[in-house]
Amino acid sequence: MPPLTVTQPHLPPLEEFIPYLEAIWDRRVLTNGGPMHQQLEAALCAYLGVPHISLFANGTAALLTAVQALELSGEVITTPFSFVAGAHALLWNGLTPVFADIDPETLNLDPARIEAAVTERTTGIMPVHCYGNPCDLAAIERIARARGLRVLYDAAHAFGVTVPDGSVLTAGDLSVLSFHATKVFNTFEGGAIVSHDAATKQRIDQLKNFGIVDETTVDAAGLNGKMSEVNAAFGLVQLQHIDAAIARRAQIDAHYRALLAEVPGITCVPPSGQTRSNHSYFPILVGSEYPVSRNALYTALKGQDILSRRYFHPLISHFPMYRALPSAAPRNLPVATRVAEQVLCLPIHTGMCDADVERVVTIVREGAACAAHS
Ligand code: T4K
């Protein structure tokens, strides 16, 4: 039996993809904003309920370009409890990440800590909707407005997530998505920037194409962030299956929550105000009342070929390129430091059956029970 991994790409039947490949072969347009690319942008705007989307080769290139497009300078406040790509995008743009602590309930940036981290060098805030759970959008907007800051949401985990006002992706100035193979919606590799107006989208599209404005004009040091036609075509096929994939994830999520509800010391991270979740991750916190450590539980699962992941341990602020920053000190980040020691993301993907969920939970329960007898 293959190991049960934390995630697994949801793949459509191969035969559905073939006609799209044939169309690409016929046209010989392989990249640079071809018809598949344009169709996917339009289809995603309609599906997600957002005004403008620019596709990218991956989420990290999208983050890099989003930071560049917002013309940020000096310091940008962000979370240490995330994937390292976000802070790297700041560093690559010559900016200083300033880490602020997270809220113990949502595991997203704590607005009070954002406010306390603002200095006269701050030009932006880069929050992350961690695990697809929305940040405190209203509080962040209030802080940004009061201080004249730009807001770039790292929405890599938040494909299809909605809040009472609509898509979570329309909050802030820009939002960045990842369509990596490990994500709910994937194009093998891929990403996107959601923007509010046509002029911003046009600027982003130039920046992801070397900064080319026209045949004889290049006005910025843009990168090559373009998505190919094959990736875009795959996205068009995937989109036809996304609702079914999210619905299956919702069942797995509910099954885990029901079975884990009574396990002492295990907390399932609750949703944070979304009207639709995408169930992209299933994080639990292994608290001090649980008889064995998070790492011991991780190892026990691994021993049974269940590959859970400690997203996001270590904290970004722990890595050598960030460690010396004053804001990276663990005493500045007590909640994130504790959560990084407790968190474990259990497997959740459409390849799982109910018995897989039960197998995972049995091991979690055994961890609780074995120590109850010791
Ligand atoms: N912002 C945030 C908040 C992010 O989480 C990410 C990416 C980004 C920005 C950047 O977006 P991208 O530039 O990646 O588009 C993964 C992903 O590589 C990364 O995309 C993701 N976040 C991060 C949270 O996780 P790993 O190193 O944990 O992936 P890996 O290869 O260990 O895969 C995990 C499991 O998935 C494997 O055990 C097996 C399964 N898997 C994976 C791949 C790649 C498959 O079944 N098939 C596959 O093709 O980083």
Side-chain angles (χ1 to χ4, degrees), residues 302-347:
K302 202 169 177 181
Q304 300 292 321
D305 253 0
I306 295 168
L307 306 182
S308 62
R309 292 299 284 266
R310 289 165 286 195
Y311 296 134
F312 289 99
H313 164 86
L315 295 176
I316 300 174
S317 46
H318 175 83
F319 294 124
M321 63 299 289
Y322 302 111
R323 200 177 287 163
L325 292 169
S327 66
R331 69 175 174 284
N332 183 48
L333 308 166
V335 180
T337 302
R338 172 174 58 77
V339 170
E341 291 301 319
Q342 294 186 334
V343 73
L344 197 61
C345 287
L346 300 180

Side-chain angles (χ1 to χ4, degrees), residues 34-358:
M36 296 295 180
H37 185 281
Q38 296 191 15
Q39 269 185 55
L40 183 59
E41 286 194 343
L44 285 173
C45 283
Y47 179 81
L48 296 170
V50 300
H52 298 282
I53 276 206
S54 301
L55 295 176
F56 275 78
N58 56 67
T60 305
L63 278 169
L64 274 169
T65 299
V67 174
Q68 189 181 16
L70 289 176
E71 299 180 356
L72 301 177
S73 61
E75 297 175 355
V76 175
I77 297 167
T78 192
T79 172
F81 189 70
S82 182
F83 190 60
V84 74
H88 280 0
L90 298 177
L91 218 54
W92 279 325
N93 275 286
L95 303 169
T96 304
V98 173
F99 298 108
D101 208 0
I102 57 172
D103 178 280
E105 290 284 313
T106 66
L107 312 186
N108 289 325
L109 272 176
D110 177 343
R113 302 303 305 266
I114 297 176
E115 204 146 27
V118 176
T119 71
E120 58 211 24
R121 298 193 65 228
T122 311
T123 59
I125 309 171
M126 190 177 65
V128 180
H129 302 299
C130 196
Y131 310 128
N133 279 339
C135 294
D136 187 339
L137 307 176
I140 291 172
E141 189 181 333
R142 221 177 311 115
I143 296 166
R145 284 225 176 131
R147 309 286 194 137
L149 306 176
R150 312 304 299 272
V151 181
L152 164 55
Y153 279 103
D154 180 341
H157 303 171
F159 185 92
V161 171
T162 62
V163 289
D165 288 342
S167 172
V168 76
L169 302 171
T170 56
D173 293 289
L174 298 174
S175 288
V176 166
L177 288 159
S178 165
F179 306 150
H180 182 258
T182 53
K183 299 296 191 288
V184 166
F185 172 80
N186 89 82
T187 57
F188 284 37
E189 291 272 2
I193 301 179
V194 174
S195 54
H196 290 286
D197 59 86
T200 306
K201 173 176 164 49
Q202 187 186 33
R203 184 64 185 147
I204 289 166
D205 288 345
Q206 291 167 353
L207 290 173
K208 78 173 187 191
N209 187 29
F210 313 98
I212 294 175
V213 175
D214 59 38
E215 265 188 57
T216 54
T217 318
V218 174
D219 76 348
L223 45 73
N224 177 1
K226 293 170 274 117
M227 177 182 277
S228 85
E229 286 290 275
V230 172
N231 296 95
F234 187 73
L236 286 167
V237 184
Q238 283 286 72
L239 205 50
Q240 296 164 30
H241 297 271
I242 189 68
D243 285 335
I246 292 176
R248 176 62 193 138
R249 284 172 172 273
Q251 288 172 346
I252 295 170
D253 182 304
H255 199 180
Y256 268 135
R257 281 183 202 277
L259 296 179
L260 290 169
E262 303 299 320
V263 182
I266 298 293
T267 306
C268 301
V269 174
S272 68
Q274 58 269 57
T275 46
R276 186 200 193 204
S277 173
N278 64 8
H279 310 282
S280 50
Y281 294 84
F282 196 84
I284 60 169
L285 299 180
V286 182
S288 53
E289 321 85 87
Y290 192 75
V292 301
S293 69
R294 183 275 312 273
N295 287 349
L297 177 57
Y298 166 81
T299 306
L301 288 164
K302 202 169 177 181
Q304 300 292 321
D305 253 0
I306 295 168
L307 306 182
S308 62
R309 292 299 284 266
R310 289 165 286 195
Y311 296 134
F312 289 99
H313 164 86
L315 295 176
I316 300 174
S317 46
H318 175 83
F319 294 124
M321 63 299 289
Y322 302 111
R323 200 177 287 163
L325 292 169
S327 66
R331 69 175 174 284
N332 183 48
L333 308 166
V335 180
T337 302
R338 172 174 58 77
V339 170
E341 291 301 319
Q342 294 186 334
V343 73
L344 197 61
C345 287
L346 300 180
I348 184 165
H349 56 79
T350 55
M352 291 173 70
C353 59
D354 291 352
D356 289 326
V357 176
E358 285 149 22

